[in-house]
Amino acid sequence: MSNGNEIYSGKLEDLKPIDISDMAEGASKRIVFGPKRFWEGYVMRFFTLPPKRQIAMHSHPWPHYILVIDGHGRAHIGESVYLFEKGCWAHVPGGMEHMFENAGGGELRFICIVPREGDPHAEVEM
């Protein structure tokens, strides 16, 4: 039952940006859904990666589920490199090394879903 104060729809750009320059200079993410908004076990994030930037090669125990909504880049997953542009999807299994890079002239924007333990901002008030 709603308390009358919940917002059930909105624009991605209106969500509070979180600076993730420690991952890639000028990059940001926004929490779309998570424990504080309708999805207890997972976190859906909206990432913006500036031109010619990359999120460095790394790994962790949880998987990623990704949909690219704008831009042009590459996803390095394990030993393979994949096209990473508008309309593409990617799955990164837990424990596999991966990185994402923006190879285009505009922003690379993508949605990434991880389990709750996969995002340090999952519990932040939105």
Side-chain angles (χ1 to χ4, degrees), residues 15 44 46 52 72 74 103 113:
L15 297 170
M44 178 187 285
F46 168 55
K52 309 302 178 198
H72 176 78
R74 290 181 285 275
I113 299 169

Side-chain angles (χ1 to χ4, degrees), residues 50-66:
K52 309 302 178 198
R53 299 283 190 252
Q54 65 184 28
I55 297 173
M57 189 69 80
H58 64 286
S59 68
H60 36 68
W62 53 85
H64 287 291
Y65 306 93
I66 302 166

Side-chain angles (χ1 to χ4, degrees), residues 11-123:
K11 292 188 174 196
L12 293 171
E13 290 80 11
D14 291 342
L15 297 170
K16 179 183 173 186
I18 299 168
D19 180 18
I20 56 166
S21 289
D22 57 324
M23 294 175 68
E25 184 181 342
S28 68
K29 75 174 175 183
R30 291 167 164 86
I31 305 295
V32 182
F33 298 112
K36 299 286 183 176
R37 186 182 290 133
F38 311 119
W39 205 0
E40 186 60 33
Y42 289 85
V43 184
M44 178 187 285
R45 300 94 51 88
F46 168 55
F47 283 87
T48 302
L49 188 59
K52 309 302 178 198
R53 299 283 190 252
Q54 65 184 28
I55 297 173
M57 189 69 80
H58 64 286
S59 68
H60 36 68
W62 53 85
H64 287 291
Y65 306 93
I66 302 166
L67 297 170
V68 182
I69 59 175
D70 200 19
H72 176 78
R74 290 181 285 275
H76 300 250
I77 304 171
E79 300 293 320
S80 300
V81 179
Y82 300 94
L83 185 62
F84 203 56
E85 66 180 18
K86 182 178 180 177
C88 291
W89 60 269
H91 173 250
V92 179
M96 184 169 283
E97 283 199 326
H98 57 283
M99 71 171 281
F100 309 113
E101 64 178 307
N102 183 345
E107 291 181 334
L108 178 62
R109 298 162 21 116
F110 57 97
I111 299 291
C112 179
I113 299 169
V114 296
R116 181 180 191 162
E117 65 271 15
D119 193 293
H121 301 105
E123 302 298 327

